[in-house]
């Protein structure tokens, strides 16, 4: 639903808890939908087309100033950019990033910053919430205008089959593997979706996987973190980094070594 995920968490953590608790679910959803449209409108009007860094800054400032809780924050943005850079192939040329759960597009902008020296690159971003996906399409489309970067926003529901999605991606867009993956959708899907990526050879050796909310959702992510732990021997080298803003949390960045023994 609209009120699940980053915006709902952000509002609760960042001082809007009392207000949100007093709203019905329907009212909450209307508020979040309106907020995403307002945010996208601000970014498009406040920043020149083709300015990715400027768009990201405007996005964060607007979300902070209005208490929307829709931004990842500077610390997580920097880590997303670093994770994508780490996953880029050693040889020069375009790269492909897969982002599951793009929300209104600020994480996508951080990924785009990492690809600025890789013309011809592609970012495939999925989102279950229509209003968020529309906002991301406007924000990222404006920020990357005139840049040799292909942005592919796609609707993807929790009940959709990732296997079929990947097959369609290969058939329609010629994408066969990812160099970096960003998981910020339903945390219950992180592990099954990672296993599918590996099983279908969509995760290039050396690719990175960024996962959000490692501290805030530690219990829900325990099996995922056990699976990608460096000591597990399942083909991943994982680092966990703590962050403090916009709220205390941690993220995990895993590098796929291609030595998976068990799925």
């Amino acid at each position: 639903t609209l009120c699940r995920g980053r915006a709902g968490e952000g509002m609760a953590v960042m001082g809007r808890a009392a207000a949100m608790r007093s709203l019905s679910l329907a009212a909450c959803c209307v508020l979040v939908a309106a907020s995403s449209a307002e945010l996208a409108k601000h970014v498009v009007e406040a920043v020149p087309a083709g300015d990715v860094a400027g768009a990201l800054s405007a996005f964060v400032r607007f979300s902070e100033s209005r208490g929307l809780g829709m931004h990842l924050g500077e610390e997580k943005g920097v880590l997303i950019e670093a994770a994508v850079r780490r996953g880029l192939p050693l040889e020069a040329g375009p790269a492909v990033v897969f982002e599951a759960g793009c929300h209104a597009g600020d994480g996508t902008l951080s990924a785009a910053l990492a690809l600025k020296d890789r013309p011809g690159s592609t970012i495939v971003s999925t989102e279950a919430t229509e209003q968020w996906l529309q906002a991301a399409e406007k924000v990222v489309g404006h920020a990357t205008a005139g840049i040799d970067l292909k942005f592919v926003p796609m609707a993807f529901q929790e009940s959709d089959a990732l296997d079929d999605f990947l097959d369609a991606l290969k058939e329609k867009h010629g994408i066969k593997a990812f160099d970096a993956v960003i998981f910020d959708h339903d945390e219950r899907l992180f592990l099954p979706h990672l296993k599918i990526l590996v099983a279908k050879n969509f995760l290039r050796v050396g690719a990175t996987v960024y996962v959000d909310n490692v501290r805030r959702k530690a219990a829900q992510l325990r099996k995922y973190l056990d699976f990608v732990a460096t000591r597990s021997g399942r083909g991943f080298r994982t680092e966990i980094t703590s962050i403090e803003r916009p709220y205390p949390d941690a993220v995990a960045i895993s590098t796929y070594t291609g030595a998976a023994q068990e799925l």
Side-chain angles (χ1 to χ4, degrees):
T1 67
L2 280 173
C3 291
R4 279 195 66 181
R6 188 192 308 169
E9 290 174 4
M11 288 176 179
V13 174
M14 299 168 64
R16 304 194 75 187
M20 294 304 293
R21 282 195 296 268
S22 68
L23 293 174
S24 67
L25 177 60
C28 170
C29 293
V30 170
L31 175 61
V32 173
S35 298
S36 61
E38 185 182 15
L39 193 156
K41 182 175 183 292
H42 171 76
V43 172
V44 170
E45 293 179 350
V47 180
D51 184 354
V52 178
L56 180 57
S57 179
F59 187 115
V60 174
R61 289 199 309 269
F62 189 82
S63 179
E64 286 180 337
S65 67
R66 299 298 177 91
L68 300 180
M70 295 189 67
H71 60 289
L72 286 164
E74 182 178 353
E75 291 181 67
K76 288 186 177 181
V78 168
L79 288 169
I80 288 175
E81 181 180 351
V84 173
R85 287 188 185 279
R86 188 182 303 178
L88 297 177
L90 295 177
E91 63 275 13
V96 181
V97 175
F98 175 57
E99 177 188 27
C102 68
H103 299 268
D106 59 329
T108 320
L109 295 178
S110 293
L113 286 173
L115 299 173
K116 62 183 180 181
D117 297 324
R118 296 284 183 130
S121 292
T122 301
I123 301 177
V124 178
S125 296
T126 67
E127 176 54 51
T129 301
E130 182 182 359
Q131 289 88 343
W132 277 344
L133 189 63
Q134 290 173 351
E137 191 166 5
K138 291 179 182 177
V139 167
V140 180
H142 178 76
T144 60
I147 298 174
D148 189 5
L149 174 66
K150 185 178 181 181
F151 176 51
V152 184
M154 305 181 72
F156 186 86
Q157 303 299 319
E158 295 175 6
S159 59
D160 291 347
L162 184 61
D163 303 69
D164 296 340
F165 176 87
L166 295 175
D167 290 341
L169 202 61
K170 180 184 291 187
E171 181 180 346
K172 296 178 181 179
H173 297 277
I175 294 173
K176 300 178 180 179
F178 303 127
D179 300 297
V181 172
I182 303 165
F183 278 163
D184 195 11
H185 55 323
D186 187 333
E187 68 275 1
R188 295 173 297 179
L189 299 175
F190 288 4
L191 183 54
H193 281 179
L194 179 66
K195 289 181 177 180
I196 290 171
L197 292 178
V198 173
K200 293 181 72 69
N201 295 315
F202 257 82
L203 200 61
R204 181 186 59 79
V205 174
T208 53
V209 183
Y210 169 100
V211 166
D212 197 9
N213 297 134
V214 168
R215 181 187 298 178
R216 289 185 55 76
K217 297 183 178 180
Q220 297 95 315
L221 292 175
R222 180 180 57 80
K223 290 183 179 180
Y224 172 88
L225 293 172
D226 286 346
F227 186 87
V228 299
T230 303
R231 66 180 182 279
S232 73
R234 292 192 175 97
F236 292 91
R237 185 173 65 252
T238 299
E239 300 174 6
I240 296 177
T241 303
S242 296
I243 64 104
E244 296 302 325
R245 289 178 55 83
Y247 49 81
D249 200 359
V251 304
I253 300 176
S254 304
T255 300
Y256 181 53
T257 65
Q261 298 175 357
E262 173 186 346
L263 295 179

